[in-house]
Amino acid sequence: ELLKLAPEMYDITVIGAEPHPNYNRILLSPVLAGEKGLDDIILNSRAWYAEHGIVLKTGDPVTSIDRVNRRVQTESGDSIGYDRLLIATGSSPFIIPIPGSQLEGVIGFRDIKDVDTMLETAGRYEHAVVIGGGLLGLEAANGLVKQGMKVKVVHLLDTLMERQLDKPAADLLKVALEKRGLQFLMEAQTAAILGETRVTGVRFTDGSEIPADLVVMAVGIRPNMALAQQADIYCERGIVVSDTLQTFDPSIYA
């Protein structure tokens, strides 16, 4: 948008934590299902940034914001000055804090790295458990079934996609997905992830257990606001902004 307004006016630097240029997260599901590749979902290539004179720093997240001197520090030690700063750090998958949640093979479904982990696991292992029967969890489960894994979806409630569907519609969806090979454990609460170094199974609050070589948690997201909080930018459930997306520091937007 800035280039459209005044292509010559601004020096733009884009800093990202991931090693890739920007890509469409919505299309991660088709990548997992084998219908698209990473190159198909990249929105702007490195060449595009170079062509437009934008400095792109990938794989080097900002670790602190110095609001007094208007500078950001990156993990690699670079210090970059700004006149205006836009914080667009998105969110992270919520990993349920239960015993075993830190084991290898327990992941969210949020970025290319998660998809790569799922594809690699599907090539070597058999059993996948997806915790969360919302849209994202069902997309992950569908992709993993297409990659040849045996998939069980664990959902806390008795209704799949309860935010979007009523009970009769959810039941129709469940039947359709079961025909595709998905299995469901409804009204099941996860108590622990089992395993020594890598996940081997999942235990529920009723004491029952199922095998698992991969556990995908799709139970919601939390905004990435630690960077803003460290810089004493006002936050509540997320970074608080005005109608023009300005934080309470007039040179910082979010």
Side-chain angles (χ1 to χ4, degrees):
E1 292 302 318
L2 289 174
L3 291 173
K4 281 184 205 166
L5 285 170
E8 305 299 320
M9 188 179 275
Y10 302 104
D11 291 327
I12 304 172
T13 302
V14 175
I15 305 169
E18 289 188 67
H20 315 281
N22 58 330
Y23 57 87
N24 186 341
R25 282 190 201 282
I26 304 295
L27 293 178
L28 285 172
S29 296
V31 175
L32 176 61
E35 295 157 11
K36 289 185 184 293
L38 174 58
D39 289 346
D40 300 324
I41 70 168
I42 285 182
L43 295 165
N44 300 104
S45 64
R46 290 183 189 279
W48 180 89
Y49 285 92
E51 194 185 311
H52 290 88
I54 297 170
V55 176
L56 174 66
K57 289 177 68 65
T58 55
D60 191 17
V62 170
T63 52
S64 65
I65 300 166
D66 176 351
R67 295 200 289 117
V68 176
N69 297 305
R70 289 194 186 178
R71 300 193 76 78
V72 297
Q73 180 99 12
T74 72
E75 196 171 71
S76 69
D78 281 359
S79 175
I80 302 159
Y82 65 84
D83 298 306
R84 291 290 179 273
L85 175 66
L86 170 64
I87 303 173
T89 42
S91 56
S92 297
F94 178 62
I95 302 296
I96 308 166
I98 51 176
S101 60
Q102 78 297 335
L103 289 171
E104 187 191 345
V106 179
I107 59 170
F109 182 21
R110 183 73 187 155
D111 57 26
I112 283 290
K113 190 164 165 258
D114 294 330
V115 173
D116 287 344
T117 302
M118 289 191 230
L119 292 173
E120 187 203 348
T121 308
R124 294 166 53 204
Y125 295 97
E126 186 179 17
H127 296 284
V129 172
V130 176
I131 300 177
L135 183 59
L136 197 62
L138 295 179
E139 287 191 344
N142 184 54
L144 289 167
V145 162
K146 284 192 170 176
Q147 293 298 335
M149 292 193 85
K150 291 180 177 169
V151 184
K152 284 193 168 75
V153 177
V154 176
H155 197 45
L156 195 56
L157 303 174
D158 65 349
T159 308
L160 292 176
M161 283 178 61
E162 69 282 349
R163 292 192 175 194
Q164 292 89 356
L165 303 178
D166 61 10
K167 189 79 171 72
D171 291 342
L172 290 171
L173 175 66
K174 184 166 171 282
V175 169
L177 292 176
E178 282 169 341
K179 283 180 186 162
R180 289 191 187 187
L182 269 71
Q183 294 178 296
F184 293 93
L185 293 172
M186 306 300 284
E187 297 181 84
Q189 188 167 357
T190 310
I193 312 278
L194 309 174
E196 292 294 315
T197 54
R198 188 186 171 85
V199 56
T200 58
V202 176
R203 179 185 298 137
F204 301 103
T205 46
D206 66 1
S208 62
E209 295 179 4
I210 56 171
D213 305 304
L214 174 74
V215 173
V216 181
M217 292 210 188
V219 291
I221 52 173
R222 296 288 182 274
N224 293 328
M225 57 183 181
L227 192 63
Q229 287 171 316
Q230 285 163 11
D232 289 329
I233 292 165
Y234 182 60
C235 299
E236 286 177 13
R237 284 179 61 194
I239 302 171
V240 176
V241 295
S242 71
D243 288 349
T244 58
L245 302 186
Q246 203 170 29
T247 67
F248 93 116
D249 180 326
S251 63
I252 300 179
Y253 292 77

